[in-house]
Amino acid sequence: MRPCVVGDGPVGLGSGFCQPLLGEGDFDHRLAYVSPLCCDGGEVVSIRRIGRQVAYDFSVERYHNYIAGGLVHHNTFIGIAEDLSYSLGYRPWLPLDDPDRVIDVRVPNIGLIGCETAVHSVSEKIGPLLRLLIPRTCGAEFRPGPSGYLSRVILHRGCYGERCGSTIYIRSYVERPDSFEGIDYDGFVHWDEPPPLGVFKAVERGKVVSNAASWFTMTPLKEPWVLSMLSSRAATVI
């Protein structure tokens, strides 16, 4: 299992999103040389190691996922990296011979990123991260919705210029739950912060045929149904 270290600088063709991850043995002694992301553009004066942060370092053994990131937007960052991977059908940062590089998903496909508001979540976080992480070779088309905020991204090509055609929809929870019905998401569903239960049910019903993967990137401060219906049953529900 290889840690993903998030550094600063633009991520696109030939940069972070497409580079192999650090080897497990290289992580500790190279961590000190990685410059963290600074949301305010400030300069890091010093870095003092405090050891492992259990709350922010996690892995999912079944999918061999691992992320070590900062305390601001790190959840969304790795979530969108996985969104793009499912849209492409592979994780471009892994070596070609890595068993987790190729994802068992049909391409092209349709995915969904659900978030709290278009005004803040899309314009200030999700939209910029999509533009940051999508390589130029993908020929991405960013389409705004009627409100003027980003509502759809089409990846015409993959990282290496191959045909792709996957579409990512971006929707906010302020919209009515029934407006989420009617699209069969066969790629993925990414909930960036927990959605209202009605929205969740409307989208998950549309996955009856595809059985597409869903994941959450969140700080669990809202929507207690996530604990009662999902988290507390995680050991028994597959």
Side-chain angles (χ1 to χ4, degrees):
M1 190 173 296
R2 284 183 292 278
C4 172
V5 178
V6 179
D8 64 355
V11 180
L13 177 60
S15 57
F17 184 67
C18 294
Q19 290 180 349
L21 302 183
L22 301 179
E24 187 171 0
D26 299 329
F27 182 63
D28 286 338
H29 75 271
R30 291 183 61 181
L31 181 60
Y33 300 100
V34 176
S35 179
L37 284 169
C38 298
C39 294
D40 59 359
E43 180 181 354
V44 176
V45 177
S46 65
I47 299 176
R48 180 173 62 89
R49 297 185 60 125
I50 60 174
R52 178 181 175 87
Q53 293 181 322
V54 178
Y56 292 97
D57 293 354
F58 64 91
S59 62
V60 180
E61 181 59 32
R62 177 178 175 184
Y63 297 106
H64 305 288
N65 297 336
Y66 187 96
I67 174 64
L71 305 186
V72 180
H73 297 341
H74 68 289
N75 291 333
T76 304
F77 194 108
I78 191 58
I80 289 181
E82 194 75 342
D83 300 342
L84 296 174
S85 299
Y86 269 71
S87 297
L88 297 168
Y90 55 86
R91 297 182 177 94
W93 63 81
L94 292 180
L96 293 175
D97 59 351
D98 192 289
D100 296 315
R101 178 182 171 91
V102 177
I103 300 172
D104 184 16
V105 63
R106 184 183 67 85
V107 176
N109 59 56
I110 299 175
L112 169 69
I113 301 175
C115 60
E116 292 184 303
T117 65
V119 176
H120 298 292
S121 303
V122 176
S123 63
E124 298 176 6
K125 183 171 59 171
I126 292 173
L129 280 175
L130 284 167
R131 294 179 184 276
L132 181 74
L133 290 175
I134 297 175
R136 293 187 296 272
T137 50
C138 291
E141 182 180 350
F142 297 86
R143 294 186 180 180
S147 63
Y149 298 104
L150 181 66
S151 67
R152 190 185 313 179
V153 177
I154 303 173
L155 302 180
H156 292 290
R157 297 182 298 277
C159 289
Y160 310 102
E162 75 278 11
R163 180 178 296 181
C164 180
S166 293
T167 299
I168 302 173
Y169 285 89
I170 301 99
R171 304 285 304 275
S172 72
Y173 304 152
V174 299
E175 302 174 52
R176 290 175 44 178
D178 57 6
S179 70
F180 284 80
E181 300 176 349
I183 298 179
D184 296 330
Y185 300 104
D186 59 350
F188 66 90
V189 174
H190 169 197
W191 301 110
D192 187 54
E193 302 303 340
L197 182 56
V199 171
F200 179 78
K201 288 182 175 180
V203 172
E204 295 298 317
R205 277 196 297 267
K207 293 170 32 182
V208 171
V209 175
S210 67
N211 195 31
S214 293
W215 50 81
F216 292 72
T217 53
M218 65 180 186
T219 302
L221 301 177
K222 303 177 182 178
E223 303 298 339
W225 67 265
V226 175
L227 174 63
S228 60
M229 293 182 61
L230 300 178
S231 300
S232 61
R233 301 172 62 194
T236 57
V237 177
I238 298 177

